[in-house]
Amino acid sequence: MTKEKLVLIGNGMSGIITIEELLKLAPEQYDITVIGAEPHANYNRIMLSPVLAGEKTIEDIILNDLDWYKDNGITLKTGSPVTGIDRVARRLVTEDGDEFEYNRLLMATGSNPFIIPVPGHDKEGVIGFRDIADVDAMLATSKSYKKAVVIGGGLLGLEAANGLMKNGMEVTVVHLLDSLMERQLDKPASALLKASLEERGMTFLMEAQTSEITGIGRVQGVKFSDGSEVETDLVVMAVGIRPSMTLAEQAGIHCERGVVVNDTMQTYDPSIYAVGECVQH
């Protein structure tokens, strides 16, 4: 009996956990291929902050090493994102031209960091905080430059700021609201957190709205709506995420705020499923 072909787009946590559960339930049912945009095996994205802070290495946060894929008979393709899905032919193509056929397709494309579309947002030295490449960029910058601005005073922004400080950078956190981590903390607790971080050397600009990122080629400063400006060599945006659903939209799969799925994680195409941060139930 020939096995059905199952292709997973996205080599992140939710997609691979789905495959792990499937291997427990029906280990012989599918011929599985996993396609990941990043050049890494599956890793714990939540632990990127300790890697930035020097408390862990990349190897420490790998969840499934390359041997795991081999041991489970899974074909792994990394470093080349899927660029198109032909739903009629049940075939997809990657950036480097490889084609894969599927009987069932599982989309776990995750989410992308929201980059505020202000003038200058596309300059060198403006990044999100989402993957190993972002951490590598921050670590490289800290070796050559001194000043960093983190836009976003939520948990992720403060973790980025802490990691950059531990790498010797002078860090200014820019936050649109009047209290840090407003989703988790009330105002007295937020004030205590801010005072504690200021004692460690972190600087804050509260109720500050970014209007422009300045510099020729590379970022040199951040301007605000009140006309003030700070110098910086690096801007890290940690202002939230957006579901990564462009691929699904281009394939004509029904999307709203995410890829729309039913109770069994099935999209409007019965042969395509989606899990994780890209979905909307």
Side-chain angles (χ1 to χ4, degrees):
M1 192 178 96
T2 54
K3 293 181 180 181
E4 285 191 289
K5 290 177 180 169
L6 169 67
V7 177
L8 165 63
I9 303 175
N11 191 27
M13 295 168 74
S14 56
I16 294 298
I17 285 173
T18 307
I19 297 296
E20 287 176 348
E21 293 301 316
L22 187 59
L23 289 170
K24 290 178 195 171
L25 293 166
E28 299 301 321
Q29 187 164 345
Y30 292 104
D31 178 4
I32 301 171
T33 299
V34 175
I35 305 172
E38 292 184 70
H40 305 282
N42 176 40
Y43 66 90
N44 187 343
R45 202 177 294 281
I46 298 164
M47 299 303 286
L48 285 171
S49 296
V51 174
L52 177 62
E55 295 159 7
K56 288 189 179 292
T57 66
I58 298 296
E59 289 69 32
D60 292 335
I61 69 169
I62 296 291
L63 294 171
N64 301 81
D65 61 17
L66 297 177
D67 288 339
W68 177 83
Y69 296 87
K70 285 179 193 162
D71 293 345
N72 286 285
I74 296 169
T75 302
L76 173 64
K77 180 176 178 61
T78 60
S80 184
V82 174
T83 53
I85 300 168
D86 181 340
R87 294 197 291 125
V88 176
R90 292 191 182 178
R91 185 185 298 122
L92 49 85
V93 63
T94 61
E95 191 173 66
D96 59 8
D98 283 354
E99 292 191 359
F100 297 87
E101 293 182 349
Y102 67 86
N103 300 107
R104 302 273 178 191
L105 182 62
L106 176 60
M107 302 190 74
T109 48
S111 56
N112 299 316
F114 179 62
I115 302 297
I116 306 167
V118 293
H121 72 274
D122 52 354
K123 290 188 188 300
E124 185 187 352
V126 180
I127 60 173
F129 182 20
R130 187 69 191 151
D131 56 28
I132 287 173
D134 293 330
V135 172
D136 287 343
M138 285 189 242
L139 292 173
T141 303
S142 71
K143 289 178 173 67
S144 308
Y145 297 94
K146 275 290 153 216
K147 294 182 177 178
V149 165
V150 176
I151 301 176
L155 179 60
L156 192 64
L158 296 178
E159 287 185 338
N162 177 63
L164 291 167
M165 272 179 55
K166 286 195 169 182
N167 283 283
M169 297 194 83
E170 299 168 22
V171 183
T172 301
V173 175
V174 174
H175 197 44
L176 190 59
L177 302 177
D178 63 353
S179 59
L180 299 173
M181 285 182 63
E182 70 284 344
R183 293 192 176 197
Q184 292 89 357
L185 304 177
D186 61 14
K187 292 204 172 181
S190 175
L192 287 169
L193 173 64
K194 182 169 174 281
S196 171
L197 293 171
E198 282 172 333
E199 280 175 22
R200 296 190 207 174
M202 208 176 283
T203 304
F204 293 93
L205 293 175
M206 307 300 288
E207 296 181 87
Q209 185 163 2
T210 304
S211 62
E212 185 183 354
I213 294 167
T214 61
I216 300 164
R218 187 181 176 87
V219 58
Q220 292 176 308
V222 179
K223 275 187 181 173
F224 303 102
S225 54
D226 64 1
S228 63
E229 186 172 0
V230 293
E231 287 183 19
T232 188
D233 307 302
L234 174 72
V235 174
V236 180
M237 293 205 190
V239 291
I241 55 174
R242 298 290 183 273
S244 177
M245 58 185 185
T246 305
L247 184 65
E249 287 176 318
Q250 289 171 346
I253 297 167
H254 181 61
C255 300
E256 291 172 10
R257 291 175 63 197
V259 182
V260 179
V261 297
N262 64 14
D263 285 354
T264 63
M265 311 309 287
Q266 190 177 42
T267 70
Y268 275 67
D269 182 324
S271 65
I272 300 178
Y273 296 75
V275 293
E277 288 182 337
C278 66
V279 310
Q280 170 191 335
H281 179 254

